[in-house]
Amino acid sequence: MLDQTRLPGEVVHVTLPGWPDVVDAIRTMVVRGAPAIGVAGAMGVALAARNAAATSATRQAFDAEMGRAIAELRDARPTAVNLAWAVDRLAGIVADHEGTPAEIADELDASARAIHSDEVDRCMAIGRHSLPLFSRGARILTHCNAGALATGGYGTALGVVRAAYAADPGVSVIVDETRPLLQGSRLTAWELEQEGIPYTLITDNMAAMLMSEGRVTHVVVGADRIAANGDVVNKIGTYGVAVLAREHGIPVIVAAPTSTLDLSMPSAAEIPVEERDPDEVRDLALFGRAASPAGAPVANPAFDRTPARLVAAIVTEQGVHRAPYERSLRQAWDAAAHDPPG
Ligand code: MRU
């Protein structure tokens, strides 16, 4: 896979020979973004099966190894529900299959590839559905990276941007740099460069100023998990952007496939937020000097919770959903179960 920690400076692909390497790649954010870690998790389960089929003398030994792989892949990161969603789908195949380990490995391989191509199809549908939400010459602020890198292809929030730009070359993007790991400046700006879509990069604390000057017409973000009531958990800083957008009368549009819905969560309050290494906050080098005292006490929640009341629309591959979200998201979920992409 493409190592996202080295972008934009270097485009390096890494080879992951076993499932523990996939766990490590997800934890260290070689691969990141909710749908992309779901795809990676599924690929990790398929890889575990391929390796275990070659080394296990019995079905019992194969199942034991698969149990370890599935548990660790599922727990590699806690917030984006796509990871558990994808791993659980493949775990169900292992549990129900009565064939040989080699047959199971073949089926998991096909299922992991299908999850990947389905996610790309979902993103493209999200882009199509969102088109009526934009006026001509829209200036879209986005936070974090919800592009091809984060989804295995095309993108959710950036898929919306891509579709809007294809329909109207007057569309432009304002990219929040997204502290502390700079997914906006490192990854979103890089993707927009590849696509030739005009953008302006800002630090996170500049969004209010640009909004107050009328330089932002829409906010479009992805999501890591969406609760039954429409509360959205996404990259840290999204909540602040949504509060600012409300103050300035700017609509916040959340773009996410139904694999990001978690209707078992009544609200975002129940969704776990990953706390990451304090050094991610401390160690920004400034002109060769430390950015903070060594060992400075740090809070580093990787995500925040945006209440549904601040969200103007949620776009899934099933369409544009409006409040009350309990009903519209349930309909989207049920429709997705009956109408899987591909
Ligand atoms: O910590 P990350 O980089 O994995 O967080 C990613 C985000 O928060 C994205 O906005 C979200 O996963 C949507 S990606 C389509």
Side-chain angles (χ1 to χ4, degrees):
M1 57 177 65
L2 178 58
D3 184 346
Q4 298 190 34
T5 65
R6 295 167 79 165
L7 288 170
E10 297 171 286
V11 179
V12 176
H13 288 85
V14 290
T15 301
L16 308 176
W19 66 261
D21 305 297
V22 181
V23 171
D24 199 47
I26 294 171
R27 284 199 184 125
T28 58
M29 295 172 66
V30 165
V31 60
R32 35 78 35 218
I37 64 174
V39 171
M43 297 280 178
V45 176
L47 178 60
R50 182 69 63 210
N51 289 344
T55 54
S56 307
T58 61
R59 170 77 199 249
Q60 206 180 12
F62 175 81
D63 283 345
E65 174 67 356
M66 291 307 293
R68 280 188 289 275
I70 285 165
E72 287 212 35
L73 284 160
R74 197 178 190 282
D75 292 346
R77 290 188 76 190
T79 301
V81 74
N82 305 63
L83 178 58
W85 173 88
V87 170
D88 286 350
R89 284 190 154 202
L90 269 64
I93 294 173
V94 179
D96 295 344
H97 211 296
E98 290 177 358
T100 65
E103 287 165 352
I104 299 172
D106 284 345
E107 191 164 334
L108 295 180
D109 190 317
S111 296
R113 288 174 200 272
I115 284 177
H116 187 189
S117 66
D118 285 356
E119 286 296 44
V120 178
D121 289 348
R122 289 187 186 101
C123 287
M124 297 185 89
I126 289 168
R128 286 194 299 275
H129 290 311
S130 65
L131 279 177
L133 300 174
F134 297 98
S135 44
R136 290 201 76 73
R139 296 181 296 277
I140 301 170
L141 183 140
T142 191
H143 190 75
C144 195
N145 171 266
L149 290 166
T151 57
Y154 203 68
T156 53
L158 277 196
V160 168
V161 164
R162 285 197 166 97
Y165 180 73
D168 170 13
V171 165
S172 60
V173 187
I174 294 146
V175 177
D176 270 359
E177 73 174 340
T178 315
R179 281 274 282 144
L181 294 183
L182 306 178
Q183 288 92 332
S185 58
R186 291 190 304 109
L187 307 177
T188 298
W190 183 79
E191 284 199 40
L192 292 171
E193 293 262 333
Q194 314 285 309
E195 294 293 317
I197 299 176
Y199 70 90
T200 303
L201 175 63
I202 61 170
T203 61
D204 298 329
N205 52 356
M206 295 173 187
M209 174 64 174
L210 269 72
M211 288 183 184
S212 74
E213 291 183 338
R215 293 162 70 182
V216 177
T217 60
H218 301 76
V219 170
V220 183
V221 293
D224 290 87
R225 207 187 292 210
I226 300 175
N229 69 347
D231 288 355
V232 172
V233 174
N234 190 47
K235 179 52 54 195
I236 190 74
T238 303
Y239 174 41
V241 169
V243 171
L244 291 174
R246 170 56 56 92
E247 168 69 15
H248 295 93
I250 298 166
V252 174
I253 298 159
V254 175
T258 50
S259 52
T260 301
L261 302 181
D262 185 352
L263 303 188
S264 73
M265 297 284 154
S267 76
E270 292 80 22
I271 296 175
V273 167
E274 177 181 11
E275 182 77 20
R276 291 187 63 88
D277 186 342
D279 282 344
E280 292 180 353
V281 175
R282 284 191 203 115
D283 284 358
L284 178 75
L286 278 180
F287 309 114
R289 294 161 200 260
S292 57
V298 157
N300 188 16
F303 304 95
D304 60 24
R305 303 179 174 99
T306 298
R309 66 176 179 280
L310 299 179
V311 177
I314 297 174
V315 189
T316 73
E317 77 278 7
Q318 299 297 328
V320 176
H321 315 295
R322 305 275 189 180
Y325 291 111
E326 275 87 358
R327 200 178 55 210
S328 56
L329 295 181
R330 170 60 62 187
Q331 283 166 350
W333 180 262
D334 290 345
H338 291 109
D339 176 28

